[in-house]
Amino acid sequence: MFPETAQCLKAAAPLFSQTVLLKDLSRLSTHGGGSHLQARRHLSISRCLTSKVRPVRTPRERVEIPGLEAVTYGEKMHYVPGLSKPFHPQWERSYKDPGHYRAPPAHEMPLFKDRSCFVFNQRTSALEGVLQALWLTKTKLISSLPPQLLSLSENPANQIPDQDERVQNAIKHARFWDTTEERPGKERYSNTMMVNLLHLCATLQSSHPAIGRRTQAEKCSLATTWRRGEDLFQIRGQNGLLHTCMDPLPEVSGKQEVSDTADHVLETFYPVSPTINLQKVNVYKEEMNCSGFRDDYPYPHAHTLFFLEGADANCKLRPDQFRAKMLMFTFGNALVRAQKLYGPQRVLDRPVTVQAVGTNGRIFQFMVFQLNTTDLSGDDGIKNQVWLDEDVELYDFAKVRPLIQRKQVKVPAGLAGYKPEAFSKFLSLYLHGAV
């Protein structure tokens, strides 16, 4: 190679490298690598999480110069380039229109308070489940139903004629006969089964006239307030299906057993806060105590609350959180009744008893709550009591078609594994107060 040619190539090398670099950058920006507005490829997450986000548009500040008036296109009634946008004050209606109501800021509302209130509603999922509900309600847990309550269904005089056969027919009606679908939804058959079992228990009214002094109410609202330590708590929401009666339920435990609860130590879950997962609000009524009925309602006493696990399709609770919801609303109904009967009295002369039954169509949760005191501020003194029998199976399988594995029928079609003990507990709670 000639010396002149080598010198020319050496001089052209920087220009060639710059050209290649510019081509690479243009190719990179074409495919989205060089522009920061293009979305990167993330193979582990969905596209909606990696899409471009529209930048937040900050409103312009209106500058007012004294003595100068902005020239706008307000009189033209249409947009004119170069002219300012006219400013129109917000029009306020001279009448109330619920469809266009705008709530004022929270701090301007008349019920606003600096002290926060923690609200438990029917969609609250308590992180610690039953343990958190026990602390909030200052309650002692007993992991079985009272023996005197279970003995009610063992008496042949309190049983239904052909009881097992009629209960199985009620299950088959809910799972197979109530719909033309191949497989009914849990929300449908659990509700049908609950209604069927209640209707079956109501057939004992001829031999137990006290059952006629009851009625049912659905979706009645509950609201109550109490203080626990330095915090203020409220329960708001709908009960679901509520069984009410003219006469209150008798207390389950005697005075000596109630006095022994003073030695019980409430279990804590430190470092988790007891108010976790509760709704924190600052707009509320200070003293709220409403059972959902008028004062002259002929059936003022809550007997049993019935909860369906799949009733709300937008809120699915785990079993422990579902039992915590049952405990909180049972406690709320008992607290409302105690405050109306005894007022500010701390330790109740006659405890208030309320029951609860929860199911998903196959597994039942049975609960009996006894409110002994309304002094819930501290951890010492008399405690409330709750008897809980959880995860009681009514049957094993209800198959429209048999389950076949390796040419063998593992589960036959129809109802299999019926357990009469579950309905006996259901019947015992229903007959409580009528025998």
Side-chain angles (χ1 to χ4, degrees):
M1 181 179 295
F2 297 100
E4 294 82 2
T5 308
Q7 292 179 359
C8 292
L9 291 176
K10 188 180 294 184
L15 181 62
F16 177 75
S17 62
Q18 292 178 3
T19 306
V20 173
L21 182 60
L22 290 174
K23 288 184 178 180
D24 292 341
L25 289 176
S26 63
R27 188 185 303 111
L28 206 61
S29 62
T30 303
H31 291 281
S35 175
H36 68 279
L37 294 178
Q38 294 289 339
R40 295 184 179 182
R41 296 186 65 185
H42 300 275
L43 302 179
S44 60
I45 56 179
S46 61
R47 183 178 181 274
C48 62
L49 298 179
T50 61
S51 60
K52 293 185 295 183
V53 179
R54 179 173 295 180
V56 180
R57 184 177 180 181
T58 57
R60 291 185 177 181
E61 297 183 2
R62 294 183 57 86
V63 180
E64 296 183 1
I65 302 176
L68 295 180
E69 184 178 357
V71 180
T72 65
Y73 55 85
E75 297 180 356
K76 299 291 185 179
M77 301 298 290
H78 62 84
Y79 173 73
V80 177
L83 299 184
S84 300
K85 182 180 179 180
F87 174 74
H88 301 287
Q90 185 177 359
W91 176 63
E92 296 183 0
R93 293 173 175 82
S94 59
Y95 57 93
K96 292 184 179 180
D97 187 0
H100 297 84
Y101 173 75
R102 289 188 178 182
H107 63 276
E108 296 181 3
M109 293 184 178
L111 295 178
F112 177 81
K113 298 175 181 60
D114 295 331
R115 181 182 181 182
S116 300
C117 177
F118 299 93
V119 179
F120 191 100
N121 53 51
Q122 65 267 25
R123 290 188 175 183
T124 301
S125 178
L127 178 65
E128 296 297 328
V130 175
L131 186 61
Q132 183 176 354
L134 291 175
W135 190 92
L136 292 175
T137 58
K138 193 180 176 181
T139 304
K140 176 184 177 181
L141 175 64
I142 304 172
S143 59
S144 62
L145 292 179
Q148 67 271 24
L149 196 62
L150 295 176
S151 61
L152 296 178
S153 59
E154 298 176 358
N155 189 356
N158 298 332
Q159 296 181 358
I160 304 171
D162 301 329
Q163 178 172 303
D164 293 341
E165 180 182 357
R166 297 175 69 178
V167 172
Q168 293 183 53
N169 288 336
I171 299 173
K172 293 177 182 178
H173 173 257
R175 297 302 303 265
F176 308 133
W177 307 334
D178 186 47
T179 179
T180 57
E181 301 177 3
E182 183 177 355
R183 185 178 180 182
K186 182 183 294 186
E187 179 182 358
R188 181 184 179 93
Y189 71 73
S190 59
N191 182 40
T192 305
M193 186 178 301
M194 183 72 75
V195 174
N196 290 347
L197 295 182
L198 288 175
H199 178 74
L200 195 59
C201 295
T203 58
L204 294 174
Q205 182 176 349
S206 58
S207 57
H208 299 78
I211 296 179
R213 298 175 60 85
R214 303 176 184 175
T215 188
Q216 294 181 3
E218 192 170 2
K219 295 183 178 181
C220 56
S221 298
L222 173 71
T224 185
T225 309
W226 78 99
R227 289 170 177 80
R228 188 77 172 92
E230 299 179 355
D231 297 323
L232 185 67
F233 295 92
Q234 286 186 355
I235 295 178
R236 303 183 199 167
Q238 295 181 351
N239 284 315
L241 183 61
L242 176 62
H243 217 153
T244 57
C245 55
M246 295 183 178
D247 308 311
L249 282 173
E251 56 270 18
V252 179
S253 58
K255 294 184 177 181
Q256 183 60 36
E257 297 177 359
V258 173
S259 301
D260 294 340
T261 59
D263 301 330
H264 177 71
V265 179
L266 295 175
E267 187 176 355
T268 60
F269 36 91
Y270 181 84
V272 179
S273 173
T275 60
I276 191 170
N277 291 113
L278 300 185
Q279 183 184 3
K280 186 178 179 180
V281 297
N282 289 88
V283 180
Y284 59 91
K285 289 185 179 181
E286 185 71 27
E287 297 296 337
M288 184 177 292
N289 187 44
C290 177
S291 62
F293 304 101
R294 296 180 178 178
D295 295 336
D296 56 348
Y297 186 61
Y299 306 91
H301 303 280
H303 185 278
T304 307
L305 284 81
F306 297 95
F307 297 89
L308 299 179
E309 191 170 337
D312 192 351
N314 298 323
C315 177
K316 295 183 179 180
L317 302 177
R318 296 187 297 272
D320 196 31
Q321 280 68 27
F322 179 67
R323 289 188 287 266
K325 170 186 172 181
M326 294 174 54
L327 176 56
M328 293 299 294
F329 275 86
T330 308
F331 160 78
N333 281 272
L335 183 62
V336 167
R337 194 60 196 161
Q339 290 177 351
K340 289 189 175 182
L341 289 177
Y342 305 105
Q345 185 178 357
R346 295 298 185 180
V347 179
L348 307 182
D349 295 335
R350 183 177 180 181
V352 179
T353 306
V354 182
Q355 303 174 153
V357 176
T359 182
N360 63 351
R362 189 180 74 88
I363 301 176
F364 282 77
Q365 320 286 340
F366 299 103
M367 182 181 297
V368 179
F369 184 88
Q370 179 169 306
L371 185 70
N372 300 320
T373 178
T374 58
D375 183 12
L376 307 174
S377 56
D379 295 341
D380 54 346
I382 301 297
K383 313 292 190 306
N384 301 315
Q385 296 170 289
V386 62
W387 292 262
L388 177 61
D389 195 354
E390 57 186 31
D391 297 336
V392 181
E393 296 182 352
L394 182 60
Y395 56 91
D396 291 333
F397 300 98
K399 297 288 186 180
V400 178
R401 296 179 179 178
L403 177 62
I404 301 176
Q405 294 180 354
R406 295 182 180 181
K407 297 182 181 181
Q408 293 183 358
V409 179
K410 298 296 183 180
V411 180
L415 182 64
Y418 167 68
K419 300 177 182 179
E421 299 83 9
F423 180 75
S424 298
K425 296 178 181 179
F426 187 92
L427 183 61
S428 298
L429 294 185
Y430 188 88
L431 293 177
H432 189 203
V435 179

